[in-house]
Amino acid sequence: MAEVKIPAKPRTEFGKGAARRARLANRVPGVVYGHGAEPLHVTLPAYDLLMALKTPNVLLRLEVEGGKSELVIPKAVQRHPIKIGILEHVDLLLVSKGEKVTVEVPINTEGDLAPGANLLEHVLNALPVETEATHIPEGVTISIAGLEAGDTIYAKDIELPKGTTLAVEDDAPVLHVVSPQAEAPSEETEGEGEGAEA
């Protein structure tokens, strides 16, 4: 995974007022932590960060103003509850090359289920894995071709990239194919049944 460079400014003001001023200046408050170091409070350019976060578990190279360059991955992103595309805060975890981290990667599917009105249920929306910080896979792909109602894909069934291992039990269900719910009887049918009983 390629690094995305983002400039960062140290942050000395805290609280809701300071955060609001930062967002009005099109910057996102954040904190960098990890490796036993003191947390570093920063602000980041909102647009650059938003674009970078379109890639899950993106590897960021923070160019800290007046400081050193830091390699980080996003651990928690707070988004505006109503306004789309507005970031409110981000937590960033320090990483180094060769270091193992536990992250969740997106699950993608390919192929079509067996003929019939079956439904694919995502038991897990993302797969927890342990992998090298600088080689985090962008996702895993699962073939669902020909699966029928009652079929289940377990974590152990998923092919992982080299150097990546599961961070969840082998027998954890990931995808499940279910039959559609039986339709509720119509009022007219129910009425006929009641009349017959009477």
Side-chain angles (χ1 to χ4, degrees):
M1 181 182 291
E3 297 176 12
V4 177
K5 288 186 178 180
I6 291 190
K9 292 183 179 180
R11 180 163 54 103
T12 55
E13 292 184 317
F14 304 98
K16 291 183 178 179
R20 190 179 302 112
R21 285 191 293 276
R23 287 192 285 269
L24 286 173
N26 292 318
R27 300 191 68 81
V28 179
V31 61
V32 181
Y33 63 94
H35 292 174
E38 286 291 320
L40 173 64
H41 298 271
V42 296
T43 64
L44 309 166
Y47 180 78
D48 292 354
L49 182 60
L50 184 64
M51 291 298 101
L53 292 177
K54 288 183 178 292
T55 300
N57 301 308
V58 64
L59 190 63
L60 300 175
R61 171 67 69 178
L62 289 192
E63 303 290 351
V64 184
E65 185 179 276
K68 59 181 181 177
S69 174
E70 301 282 15
L71 199 59
V72 301
I73 59 173
K75 284 303 286 183
V77 180
Q78 294 177 20
R79 301 175 187 270
H80 194 283
I82 300 173
K83 297 178 182 177
I84 297 174
I86 301 297
L87 303 175
E88 296 200 322
H89 190 274
V90 62
D91 287 350
L92 302 167
L93 177 67
L94 286 168
V95 295
S96 57
K97 292 183 178 180
E99 179 183 359
K100 290 278 190 176
V101 293
T102 300
V103 295
E104 292 188 344
V105 297
I107 295 170
N108 306 306
T109 59
E110 62 180 10
D112 298 312
L113 298 173
N118 295 319
L119 304 173
L120 182 65
E121 180 183 59
H122 283 254
V123 182
L124 293 180
N125 292 316
L127 185 68
V129 298
E130 185 179 67
T131 187
E132 193 176 329
T134 54
H135 292 89
I136 299 174
E138 293 187 9
V140 294
T141 300
I142 303 172
S143 173
I144 60 170
L147 294 184
E148 301 178 341
D151 286 343
T152 300
I153 298 290
Y154 296 95
K156 63 184 177 184
D157 301 325
I158 300 173
E159 186 175 346
L160 299 175
K162 184 179 178 180
T164 300
T165 56
L166 290 173
V168 67
E169 294 294 330
D170 286 354
D171 57 357
V174 177
L175 300 174
H176 185 59
V177 184
V178 296
S179 298
Q181 295 283 337
E183 292 185 10
S186 65
E187 293 183 6
E188 185 178 330
T189 306
E190 289 179 355
E192 289 175 358
E194 289 173 0
E197 287 178 6

